[in-house]
Amino acid sequence: MKRLSIQNILLGLVIVTASVTSSGQTVPVNDSKTPVEWVSPLMGTDSDYHVSNGNVYPAIAMPWGMNFWTPQTGGMGDGWAYTYNATKIKGFKQTHQPSPWMNDYGQFSIMPITGELRFKEEDRQSWFSHKAETVTPYYYSVYLADHNVTTEITPTERAALFRFTFPKTDEAYIVVDAFDNGSYIKIIPEENKIIGYTTKNSGGVPQNFKNYFVIVFDKSFTTSSAFNGDALVKEIELKANHTGAVIGFKTRQGEQVNAKVASSFISFEQAEINLKEIGNNSFDQLKEKGKSVWNENLGRIVPEGGTAAQTTTFYSCLYRSMLFPRKFYEYDANGNVMHYSPYNGNILPGHMYTDTGFWDTFRSLFPFLNLVFPEQNSEIQAGLANAYKESGWLPEWASPGLRDIMVGNNSASVVADAYLKIGSDNQYDINTLYEAVIHGANNAGPLKAVGRAGAEQYIQLGYVPYDVVNESAARTLEYAYDDFAIYQLAKALKRPKKEIALYKKRSQNYKNLFDPSHNLMRGKMQNGEFMKPFDPIRWGEGFTEGNSWHYSWSVFHDIQGLIDLMGGKETFVKQLDSVFAMPPVFNNSFNGGFIHEMREMQVANMGQYAHGNQPIQHMIYLYNHGSEPWKAQYWVRETMNRLYTPNPDGYCGDEDNGQTSAWYVFSAMGFYPVTPATDQYVLGAPLFKKITINLKNNKQIIINAPKNSVVNRYIKSLKLNGKEYTKNWLSHTELIKGAVLDFEMDEIPNKNRGINKEDLPYSLTNE
């Protein structure tokens, strides 16, 4: 892909205007950083079990890479592998962890030490400082104070190159820890090589799961030992619950020892093939190649005219939107795509992706891919077809195989939105995917989070009963939307009219849970009565990680229908206003204690608006349906200003595999996919003075808002391709043809723009 704009970026010609406003003055700052230099992988790393400010680790990786690397401050098996407030590093871990709550699989670590030979985590760990730490997506460096060693890492998709700078010593060592729960290690001194495998995982794997690794050093070993648990042994080959290796060198002052590392889920032989990704590149050459890959991908969106903080936040969110789902496929010796199946344990041809939860990511992450990286999502869809063939189900949360967590059947949305937006231009097996979607929509799966729990009752009654299946209201609302996605896909595939009509009818099932006495959604018993007692701020019960105020807006596909149920736009808008006007209080009696999402809503001080969790993240944009779009413009900017920063505490809850980041990326561009599986994006208001989206088809979307500022957050007028445009939505089909949007921004809301019926976004009721 060659475009002048991207080449300019790579030459460092992006000019970003920053401003300092604390004193009331605006000071322009010109900066020629390339996109990846704006990224802060430490954004969101200041988190713990009690309060999440992102719950992420610095992923040193290629976009969608099979393997990530991260410094390890937590103990072996701790989901919080890296926390910003930690002071010691225990190793540098190859990780596949999508979140601390899902934990890791296929992990092992490498750690340099000096002095007395120490291999246990607590003994080998070293003090470090963020002042002596460099963190970028393509390169990591840190000084380990206790060992007087600098460790550097630069990755490829399936391999990495380490560079250790040692002091003068006769006692320089590198510890390779294959971790517990079943591992193997073999030292091959004549080849300066260590091989091994780890079986450590957190579930979702077949019995024969292994991550095979190979490490090749450019310096001969003077000593080599294996360890079994806490004991150092003389063997150089060992299979046990917890194995590892320690190799030693004599080093000169400043001597650099390089290590090539790769792994495979297929075999040792395949790990050796994956090691060839490094080629003959030196460390610095590989580092520059990684930087170019990130710049090329990040360069698809170019923001201009924001503050330094906004630009860093934007690019950091864009980076997080390009990590998951990860590639779970490899190339054999002949260059053929193949994968180890995390569903049946076989080695099979074709693509496979994993490590994403559709409950989170159907909302904006996958629509983001369809707009900006359609070629990537085409591969992901091919992988989903393979997942169905290998397991009999579409995953709803894969890590790496089926996991039993969260609710909904949102694979239907992911499949439908992709086909409706990119299917005609990409080759993958949509017929198999449609079969998979229909199967999942009508059957309870082998796990509660696969297929549809309560499918039988949902089909019979039009809702999931509160007294039969837990989180019943959340399931009902999401199933109804998922049925809408199937309805849309069925139309596109020209399925029988009866089949199309069935899913259109089922998409109206959200109405069965509407309680007019509260103007909110409420769980319903099998006998048709609403559950009681009912407290709208009580978390749990029929809802998932939230309450009725959060979930009552989950009618993504038919907001006009919801408005009608509430008695009209005036009442609807008042209900939206109430979300922000209420105090951030909660009733946690159902949970019997706190979950971190409660605290994150509480401390954000935005009423019941719990942006730190996914169910309510689209709600701000619904003001457009209520003909008061200026309120959406206000609250979108408030959310970006107050709940996102470029700092280690930069998120307001779990980042969740790119979803919370993609919300920011879309919102900064000025629009958002409220209803995936339709052609529309709903307007907010852009954050920057200009954004250019470089599309895969070599077209551009240019978003101009030259008067944008701290106070000018409202849309006075909008022109689309030079013509006055009053609608509160944009067409995906029209945008990807290439488009110029000219926003005139103002500090005063324009209450006459976008208020007419023809300006309102899509609702099924209006078809």
Side-chain angles (χ1 to χ4, degrees):
M1 179 179 62
K2 294 182 180 179
R3 299 188 200 86
L4 181 60
S5 58
I6 294 213
Q7 290 172 335
N8 285 347
I9 293 164
L10 301 182
L11 290 170
L13 298 180
V14 175
I15 305 299
V16 180
T17 302
S19 58
V20 179
T21 57
S22 59
S23 64
Q25 297 178 338
T26 299
V27 181
V29 178
N30 289 329
D31 201 304
S32 58
K33 290 181 181 179
T34 61
V36 75
E37 292 174 292
W38 284 105
V39 174
S40 173
L42 294 179
M43 177 178 165
T45 59
D46 186 11
S47 301
D48 61 29
Y49 182 85
H50 302 288
V51 175
S52 173
N53 292 310
N55 264 339
V56 296
Y57 53 87
I60 315 306
M62 288 294 97
W64 305 285
M66 189 177 87
N67 301 325
F68 296 176
W69 288 89
T70 193
Q72 180 191 348
T73 63
M76 181 175 62
D78 186 344
W80 281 263
Y82 178 99
T83 52
Y84 187 80
N85 62 0
T87 56
K88 295 181 180 180
I89 286 176
K90 296 177 170 65
F92 301 93
K93 187 170 80 159
Q94 187 191 93
T95 177
H96 305 94
Q97 178 172 293
S99 82
W101 309 106
M102 301 302 292
N103 216 304
D104 210 345
Y105 64 90
Q107 65 266 49
F108 63 94
S109 72
I110 300 172
M111 180 68 175
I113 63 170
T114 58
E116 181 185 353
L117 195 160
R118 293 153 284 169
F119 61 91
K120 291 186 286 186
E121 276 187 344
E122 297 303 315
D123 295 337
R124 72 187 187 227
Q125 66 181 341
S126 171
W127 281 83
F128 81 105
S129 168
H130 297 298
K131 300 178 183 67
E133 183 186 41
T134 301
V135 191
T136 77
Y138 62 91
Y139 170 73
Y140 179 85
S141 174
V142 70
Y143 176 68
L144 301 172
D146 288 305
H147 304 305
N148 192 20
V149 174
T150 296
T151 297
E152 300 169 274
I153 312 169
T154 190
T156 69
E157 288 188 346
R158 297 166 188 83
L161 192 52
F162 278 70
R163 183 164 68 187
F164 306 101
T165 303
F166 283 98
K168 177 177 170 48
T169 179
D170 293 342
E171 297 177 305
Y173 302 98
I174 293 176
V175 180
V176 177
D177 194 335
F179 286 17
D180 61 0
N181 291 346
S183 54
Y184 165 84
I185 204 82
K186 182 179 180 180
I187 306 168
I188 310 173
E190 63 273 18
E191 298 182 38
N192 299 340
K193 182 186 291 186
I194 297 173
I195 66 171
Y197 64 70
T198 172
T199 66
K200 189 173 180 65
N201 67 83
S202 305
V205 299
Q207 286 295 315
N208 67 345
F209 168 80
K210 292 182 178 68
N211 186 28
Y212 302 87
F213 60 84
V214 55
I215 309 171
V216 180
F217 297 86
D218 67 352
K219 186 176 177 66
S220 299
F221 312 157
T222 56
T223 64
S224 56
S225 304
F227 61 85
N228 184 348
D230 291 343
L232 201 65
V233 295
K234 293 183 179 180
E235 289 94 335
I236 58 171
E237 184 175 11
L238 186 64
K239 178 182 177 182
N241 176 62
H242 182 187
T243 68
V246 185
I247 54 163
F249 320 95
K250 294 180 180 179
T251 55
R252 305 181 306 277
Q253 177 63 36
E255 182 175 355
Q256 293 181 331
V257 176
N258 291 276
K260 296 180 178 180
V261 188
S263 71
S264 168
F265 296 107
I266 295 172
S267 66
F268 284 121
E269 293 76 16
Q270 183 62 43
E272 294 277 2
I273 293 171
N274 293 344
L275 195 65
K276 294 178 181 178
E277 288 185 351
I278 297 172
N280 295 320
N281 291 290
S282 68
F283 187 94
D284 290 329
Q285 288 171 331
L286 195 67
K287 174 183 170 184
E288 285 304 307
K289 287 188 174 185
K291 183 177 182 180
S292 294
V293 169
W294 273 108
N295 275 326
E296 177 73 11
N297 283 278
L298 291 166
R300 293 221 183 162
I301 308 180
V302 183
E304 300 177 58
T307 66
Q310 289 168 338
T311 307
T312 298
T313 302
F314 180 87
Y315 274 121
S316 300
C317 286
L318 188 55
Y319 148 78
R320 290 283 169 194
S321 300
M322 295 161 56
L323 293 173
F324 298 102
R326 78 168 73 250
K327 294 175 181 177
F328 201 77
Y329 65 84
E330 305 172 49
Y331 295 96
D332 69 13
N334 297 316
N336 299 313
V337 175
M338 59 194 300
H339 65 272
Y340 165 82
S341 173
Y343 301 103
N344 62 26
N346 296 325
I347 310 303
L348 297 165
H351 291 98
M352 181 63 63
Y353 281 75
T354 191
D355 290 328
T356 189
F358 293 155
W359 182 84
D360 305 288
T361 54
F362 86 88
R363 304 164 194 268
S364 68
L365 187 277
F366 277 92
F368 162 77
L369 295 177
N370 290 329
L371 177 64
V372 185
F373 294 98
E375 75 281 16
Q376 202 68 48
N377 202 18
S378 179
E379 278 195 4
I380 294 168
Q381 297 300 312
L384 280 175
N386 288 330
Y388 173 66
K389 293 173 185 175
E390 294 162 25
S391 72
W393 301 89
L394 286 177
E396 301 298 333
W397 230 119
S399 181
L402 302 175
R403 298 290 290 272
D404 198 14
I405 187 169
M406 307 314 292
V407 303
N409 180 219
N410 299 309
S411 56
S413 175
V414 171
V415 169
D417 194 54
Y419 185 74
L420 291 166
K421 290 175 180 171
I422 68 172
S424 61
D425 296 324
N426 294 274
Q427 298 298 315
Y428 57 84
D429 189 354
I430 186 59
N431 292 317
T432 292
L433 285 173
Y434 185 77
E435 175 189 318
V437 163
I438 294 297
H439 178 63
N442 292 285
N443 296 280
L447 304 171
K448 190 172 281 190
V450 176
R452 292 188 181 183
E456 180 181 355
Q457 293 84 1
Y458 177 79
I459 292 169
Q460 290 176 350
L461 302 173
Y463 62 93
V464 180
Y466 176 84
D467 50 344
V468 174
V469 180
N470 65 355
E471 300 168 288
S472 59
R475 295 181 195 276
T476 299
L477 293 169
E478 293 190 25
Y479 293 171
Y481 162 69
D482 296 329
D483 283 334
F484 167 79
I486 296 171
Y487 158 66
Q488 293 284 85
L489 181 58
K491 285 193 298 181
L493 294 175
K494 296 180 170 54
R495 300 294 299 177
K497 291 182 180 180
K498 185 177 180 180
E499 191 172 311
I500 294 170
L502 171 65
Y503 290 97
K504 181 178 182 180
K505 180 181 179 181
R506 279 171 40 169
S507 73
Q508 298 289 297
N509 282 342
Y510 70 89
K511 295 178 180 178
N512 295 326
L513 294 191
F514 183 75
D515 175 9
S517 67
H518 291 85
N519 264 339
L520 294 169
M521 296 295 175
R522 182 175 176 181
K524 187 175 280 188
M525 309 295 282
Q526 196 167 7
N527 64 7
E529 296 180 3
F530 283 116
M531 54 76 60
K532 53 187 179 184
F534 176 60
D535 182 354
I537 65 168
R538 191 182 191 200
W539 285 54
E541 288 192 316
F543 302 101
T544 302
E545 296 181 356
N547 61 35
S548 182
W549 279 107
H550 305 148
Y551 254 97
S552 290
W553 315 106
S554 294
V555 187
F556 310 93
H557 57 297
D558 196 15
I559 298 302
Q560 184 60 53
L562 182 61
I563 290 171
D564 294 343
L565 289 174
M566 289 187 175
K569 290 182 183 177
E570 184 178 350
T571 303
F572 174 76
V573 169
K574 283 182 179 178
Q575 285 290 85
L576 290 172
D577 291 342
S578 295
V579 170
F580 297 107
M582 294 174 68
V585 295
F586 50 84
N587 178 339
N588 66 343
S589 58
F590 181 82
N591 295 87
F594 294 99
I595 60 175
H596 70 96
E597 290 88 354
M598 297 174 183
R599 285 288 184 225
E600 288 142 20
M601 181 191 77
Q602 184 184 39
V603 299
N605 193 27
M606 288 180 70
Q608 290 292 312
Y609 182 66
H611 187 82
N613 210 18
Q614 280 65 42
I616 204 170
Q617 286 182 351
H618 68 295
M619 166 256 167
I620 290 173
Y621 288 91
L622 303 188
Y623 280 110
N624 287 283
H625 293 265
S627 294
E628 296 192 19
W630 57 91
K631 290 185 178 178
Q633 295 156 27
Y634 174 83
W635 284 113
V636 166
R637 184 70 66 89
E638 281 295 289
T639 302
M640 287 191 285
N641 285 350
R642 292 165 59 175
L643 302 186
Y644 290 80
T645 77
N647 304 317
D649 64 347
Y651 291 101
C652 55
D654 286 351
E655 194 281 326
D656 280 327
N657 308 117
Q659 165 57 30
T660 301
S661 290
W663 184 96
Y664 187 94
V665 171
F666 265 121
S667 296
M669 294 190 297
F671 52 90
Y672 186 80
V674 168
T675 315
T678 68
D679 189 56
Q680 291 188 6
Y681 304 102
V682 178
L683 280 179
L687 180 64
F688 293 88
K689 294 183 185 296
K690 182 179 181 181
I691 284 186
T692 303
I693 306 170
N694 296 297
L695 299 174
K696 177 64 177 174
N697 62 4
N698 291 318
K699 305 290 186 180
Q700 289 184 324
I701 303 170
I702 299 173
I703 303 162
N704 294 312
K707 294 183 180 179
N708 227 337
S709 69
V710 173
V711 295
N712 289 351
R713 66 173 64 181
Y714 298 105
I715 300 173
K716 183 177 181 180
S717 65
L718 169 61
K719 288 183 178 179
L720 174 60
N721 296 330
K723 296 181 180 180
E724 198 71 26
Y725 189 80
T726 63
K727 292 179 172 59
N728 293 329
W729 54 272
L730 299 168
S731 163
H732 172 86
T733 301
E734 293 304 311
L735 287 179
I736 62 172
K737 294 176 182 176
V740 177
L741 291 89
D742 291 303
F743 289 88
E744 184 177 358
M745 305 299 292
D746 201 348
E747 62 181 312
I748 301 171
N750 181 353
K751 297 186 178 181
N752 295 314
R753 186 198 168 277
I755 62 174
N756 298 318
K757 184 176 181 179
E758 60 269 21
D759 298 324
L760 305 183
Y762 174 88
S763 285
L764 181 62
T765 290
N766 293 332
E767 276 195 353

